[in-house]
Amino acid sequence: MTTPALLPLSGRRIPTLSPGASSFPHHRATLRLSEKFILLLILSAFITLCFGAFFFLPDNSKHKRFDLGLEDVLIPHIDSPKEGKHASGQVVIHGQGGHDEHRHREEEESLRDKIRADHERALQEAKEKLRKSRVELQAEIQTEKSKVMEDLKKKDAGPKPLPPVPMPKVVGVSDGEPPEPDVKEKRDKIREMMKHAWDSYRQYGWGHNELKPLAKKGHSTNIFGNSQLGATIVDALDTLYIMGLHEEFKDGQEWIEQNLDFGVNAEVSVFEVNIRFIGGLLAAYYLSGQEVFKLKAVQLAEKLLPAFNTPTGIPWAMVNLKSGVGRNWGWASAGSSILAEFGTLHMEFVHLTYLTGNPAYYQKVMHIRKLLAKMDRPNGLYPNYLNPRTGRWGQHHTSVGGLGDSFYEYLLKAWLMSDKTDTEARKTYDDAIEAIERHLIRKSNGGLTFIGEWKNGHLERKMGHLACFAGGMFALGADGSPDDKAGHYLQLGAEIAHTCHESYDRTVLKLGPEAFKFDSGLEAVAVRQNEKYYILRPEVIETYWYMWRFTHDPKYRQWGWEAAQVNNYCRVSGGFSGVKDVYSSNPTYDDVQQSFFLAETLKYLYLLFSSDDLMPFESWVFNTEAHPLPVLHLEEMEREPRAQTTAAWRGR
Ligand code: DMJ
């Protein structure tokens, strides 16, 4: 775009101070810096005049609007002045009778004088400038330029500190040691497994996203782009903290401080980076009180925002952290975005707005929610695919496992995280679950309750390992369910837990396959070779933990301990590896130690063998990657001095 002010009006050249400039062959005037500077001075004098005139206009401040939306509640208003502030910087308190009116008049008078004096000074300065020689002007311009450069350098010197916000009380970060010696022994074993996973990564994969425990070197997948973002470090931090592995935590923090840089040319998954990195960093921040984690979370979130620049505001699946260019997975139906991806941002984004006061994050996720609420849903179900250009559903596939799962989870958790005030989220969850129960949940011939997948009007009687998380979700959502159905949902959670345990129990390794069928006489077993693998996933243990917390039925700890036998089949000298066939007594390894093994699987196991006062549900909500975020009791939020939180950390 050209700047009209610099183009000649009606074909006449703007006169120039530079003699060389007159030899330009064409008529389009090109102004030199010194000329621009003088024009700017004159322009600024003019603006100052107009600005002064503004104060002689009637006072509009009495016609203030009083809009108070949820954003006003959510965004901390810190240091908001109670008094009116004039542009001059003088504070004026309105409406205190004759004395005040007199004072007010006096102030206006002195303001006018000041503005008059300012105009005169500005005009005088402009005249002086015009009298100066070219050399003098160039020298002045040079000095100004250097000053601007200096200021810019100062600005780039370090990250701008974020505004202080009221901190939710950090409660329940206790030791959680169980009173029973045998349970404590099991818990110690889980902590030892965490040490082995972390130490191996520390030794062979440090700074890489994940670890190849057999090849003993770094590993990465396309979800993290081609960059070394230390995914395992970020994902594991809060588990280390909760387990009291302080040295390891500090080590991870140091790496993050010195190396974690999001200005890289990497195309990452918006969803994965949100749940693992932003979730992980926020949890580490809330637990430890170390500002660096908050800063990094916000820096990364800024990089994700361009992903929302689509015609509908439904984000792309991937975004390039450097260029901000987004796109969708090639395999997704008709260029669609994925329900479980764009629907799993809410918790982290609400916290980002809460911590920064920047409404953009909250607005983005609320926009998604509003858009979904307006759409027709086949049989009340949410299809897994939605085109971000047209705003139309892609294929009518619905799943509580892969591609759909955490969308439902985040509806429930949005409500819990808001201290149960976000009733819109709760209602959306209840409606969705009702449709799922009607169309997707069935009992097998052998009496196992399973969640199938809906594909174009047909129910596929297959359940994925990922869908096993839903047992915990049903239990977590039982309290507060409509029509007093709490007992029903707790029972449903127990049935799903039982089915998923069966899928483990019917294998040779006692570890569950990726997907299992309830068809043609099959009950909770995998048939296809490419469904027989176990990649250290957490969902079944996650459900055991929720069920344990709500029922204290000892079978959940027993089943959890069976699953902890991952230590026998997946442990190698260089860490932990997934296996390719859980039905084989001598399986081959996939040679990947997934970051979620440290973030989720080991954390849920540790919590299962801890007492309930560690990370209680009243105060914490776990994101889909098991990163705990505090419940935001907005109305009783109190400012916690940071020193208090860090002291708590040191004291542990
Ligand atoms: C995790 O990254 C998250 O739990 C996600 O929601 C889906 N599954 C993986 C682990 O299996």
Side-chain angles (χ1 to χ4, degrees):
M1 236 172 76
T2 47
T3 313
L6 297 182
L7 289 176
L9 294 172
S10 60
R12 270 184 38 193
R13 281 192 69 180
I14 296 176
T16 165
L17 289 177
S18 157
S22 63
S23 63
F24 272 81
H26 58 78
H27 216 59
R28 186 166 290 211
T30 308
L31 295 183
R32 291 199 148 188
L33 202 52
S34 53
E35 297 164 77
K36 286 181 193 168
F37 186 69
I38 290 162
L39 277 177
L40 273 175
L41 273 173
I42 295 166
L43 194 64
S44 69
F46 178 69
I47 289 169
T48 317
L49 270 169
C50 298
F51 191 55
F54 172 77
F55 286 94
F56 295 95
L57 293 173
D59 179 10
N60 273 341
S61 63
K62 287 168 196 130
H63 310 293
K64 252 189 189 170
R65 288 179 54 208
F66 288 94
D67 294 340
L68 189 73
L70 184 52
E71 276 166 38
D72 298 275
V73 181
L74 190 68
I75 302 164
H77 295 280
I78 288 147
D79 300 327
S80 59
K82 295 217 168 37
E83 305 90 349
K85 224 176 189 198
H86 268 291
S88 66
Q90 281 173 293
V91 176
V92 178
I93 302 167
H94 297 283
Q96 290 182 24
H99 175 70
D100 280 355
E101 267 170 37
H102 178 69
R103 213 184 62 198
H104 192 70
R105 238 177 284 124
E106 272 182 0
E107 278 168 353
E108 275 186 0
E109 197 45 51
S110 84
L111 245 179
R112 273 189 211 116
D113 290 346
K114 191 175 171 296
I115 291 163
R116 244 178 253 128
D118 283 351
H119 297 166
E120 275 159 23
R121 199 174 349 100
L123 279 170
Q124 192 54 35
E125 274 171 16
K127 273 187 209 158
E128 274 165 24
K129 296 271 175 202
L130 285 167
R131 260 187 245 120
K132 282 187 184 160
S133 75
R134 218 181 108 218
V135 181
E136 279 175 306
L137 280 170
Q138 271 172 346
E140 268 184 30
I141 290 165
Q142 196 46 50
T143 322
E144 277 298 312
K145 262 167 78 179
S146 327
K147 203 173 153 282
V148 171
M149 293 303 283
E150 271 307 303
D151 286 354
L152 277 177
K153 261 192 221 150
K154 267 186 218 153
K155 266 192 195 160
D156 285 349
K160 228 172 84 195
L162 293 167
V165 289
M167 278 294 288
K169 261 193 173 169
V170 179
V171 290
V173 191
S174 66
D175 180 69
E177 187 172 302
E180 312 87 339
D182 61 318
V183 179
K184 185 181 167 329
E185 203 178 302
K186 288 183 173 120
R187 193 173 90 133
D188 288 347
K189 182 67 203 165
I190 307 298
R191 192 198 277 111
E192 185 280 324
M193 288 162 68
M194 179 70 183
K195 268 282 284 164
H196 179 63
W198 174 265
D199 289 346
S200 304
Y201 168 76
R202 178 77 183 82
Q203 190 174 355
Y204 306 118
W206 195 234
H208 289 267
N209 290 317
E210 291 174 320
L211 168 70
K212 279 182 154 307
L214 286 112
K216 297 190 172 166
K217 60 180 192 182
H219 168 79
S220 197
T221 64
N222 61 346
I223 59 174
F224 307 117
N226 52 4
S227 249
Q228 288 188 26
L229 295 170
T232 297
I233 302 177
V234 182
D235 230 4
L237 274 177
D238 53 6
T239 308
L240 294 171
Y241 191 96
I242 288 168
M243 291 183 178
L245 293 167
H246 301 162
E247 285 311 313
E248 291 77 0
F249 181 89
K250 271 189 214 142
D251 211 9
Q253 178 175 343
E254 248 169 62
W255 185 89
I256 286 171
E257 278 163 353
Q258 289 160 20
N259 303 288
L260 189 54
D261 173 18
F262 300 117
V264 288
N265 184 11
E267 192 182 49
V268 300
S269 154
V270 174
F271 157 77
E272 296 287 0
V273 156
N274 175 59
I275 63 168
R276 301 189 198 210
F277 282 77
I278 297 188
L281 289 164
L282 290 179
Y285 167 66
Y286 282 119
L287 290 169
S288 72
Q290 299 293 311
E291 290 286 315
V292 60
F293 299 127
K294 180 169 72 171
L295 274 173
K296 294 285 177 187
V298 175
Q299 280 170 9
L300 175 56
E302 285 295 310
K303 300 274 181 190
L304 297 188
L305 287 180
F308 292 79
N309 296 336
T310 64
T312 56
I314 293 290
W316 299 117
M318 284 173 285
V319 71
N320 184 301
L321 293 177
K322 194 166 207 137
S323 67
V325 174
R327 70 181 174 102
N328 274 345
W329 303 112
W331 50 261
S333 154
S336 290
S337 300
I338 307 296
L339 182 71
E341 299 198 333
F342 64 78
T344 310
L345 304 167
H346 193 97
M347 293 180 70
E348 297 79 5
F349 275 45
V350 169
H351 272 276
L352 285 166
T353 285
Y354 172 73
L355 288 174
T356 60
N358 177 359
Y361 309 109
Y362 175 77
Q363 285 164 350
K364 302 275 180 223
V365 288
M366 286 309 282
H367 175 79
I368 296 175
R369 186 192 282 180
K370 289 205 177 86
L371 195 134
L372 287 179
K374 278 192 240 144
M375 295 186 66
D376 280 340
R377 295 192 301 280
N379 291 317
L381 295 170
Y382 289 86
N384 292 334
Y385 302 103
L386 179 60
N387 189 312
R389 293 181 201 276
T390 62
R392 292 208 197 94
W393 297 120
Q395 280 172 332
H396 284 191
H397 289 184
T398 297
S399 164
V400 181
L403 309 186
D405 47 9
S406 43
F407 162 70
Y408 307 100
E409 176 185 358
Y410 269 36
L411 292 175
L412 175 65
K413 290 183 175 176
W415 174 68
L416 290 167
M417 199 186 79
S418 70
D419 198 17
K420 303 186 179 172
T421 57
D422 185 354
T423 48
E424 185 180 69
R426 173 77 218 206
K427 169 90 176 75
T428 315
Y429 168 79
D430 288 332
D431 292 348
I433 295 307
E434 200 189 296
I436 283 167
E437 224 187 320
R438 194 167 334 118
H439 297 289
L440 267 59
I441 298 187
R442 295 286 181 272
K443 253 198 173 57
S444 71
N445 294 339
L448 296 177
T449 303
F450 68 94
I451 313 175
E453 307 218 339
W454 190 256
K455 294 204 167 153
N456 296 323
H458 162 80
L459 183 76
E460 200 178 354
R461 296 171 68 88
K462 184 169 90 175
M463 185 168 170
H465 190 289
L466 288 165
C468 285
F469 94 96
M473 178 178 75
F474 294 140
L476 185 65
D479 186 27
S481 57
D483 308 324
D484 204 14
K485 280 168 80 181
H488 167 75
Y489 283 115
L490 198 59
Q491 173 62 22
L492 186 57
E495 287 175 23
I496 298 298
H498 173 63
T499 300
C500 292
H501 175 251
E502 286 300 308
S503 79
Y504 273 50
D505 206 40
R506 295 172 190 208
T507 71
V508 172
L509 302 187
K510 305 293 173 201
L511 295 170
E514 181 67 3
F516 38 96
K517 288 209 154 193
F518 300 87
D519 227 352
S520 329
L522 294 169
E523 294 273 337
V525 288
V527 206
R528 290 160 61 173
Q529 196 54 39
N530 65 1
E531 292 172 344
K532 293 182 178 173
Y533 62 85
Y534 173 69
I535 56 167
L536 309 173
R537 284 198 193 278
E539 292 76 17
V540 175
I541 298 168
E542 175 181 352
T543 278
Y544 294 162
W545 175 54
Y546 279 102
M547 290 309 302
W548 163 256
R549 277 269 170 112
F550 288 113
T551 65
H552 284 157
D553 185 332
K555 76 177 174 212
Y556 294 116
R557 275 188 168 163
Q558 186 196 316
W559 291 354
W561 189 240
E562 287 168 19
Q565 297 319 303
V566 66
N567 195 50
N568 293 339
Y569 300 112
C570 298
R571 185 173 179 141
V572 292
S573 69
F576 287 86
S577 167
V579 288
K580 290 189 179 163
D581 186 349
V582 288
Y583 300 95
S584 156
S585 55
N586 189 18
T588 41
Y589 296 111
D590 68 4
D591 199 12
V592 181
Q593 178 175 285
Q594 307 275 350
S595 80
F596 54 67
F597 182 64
L598 293 88
E600 298 190 74
T601 313
L602 293 174
K603 187 188 285 137
Y604 287 133
L605 274 172
Y606 187 80
L607 289 167
L608 179 63
F609 295 105
S610 296
S611 57
D612 292 359
D613 56 357
L614 177 59
M615 313 303 293
F617 289 152
E618 297 73 42
S619 305
W620 297 94
V621 184
F622 287 71
N623 87 343
T624 193
E625 187 79 0
H627 295 306
L629 299 176
V631 171
L632 296 175
H633 302 276
L634 291 167
E635 74 289 350
E636 53 183 69
M637 203 68 73
E638 58 182 79
R639 235 178 251 239
E640 278 274 293
R642 302 302 315 137
Q644 234 169 290
T645 327
T646 36
W649 150 246
R650 274 191 233 103
R652 289 196 59 213

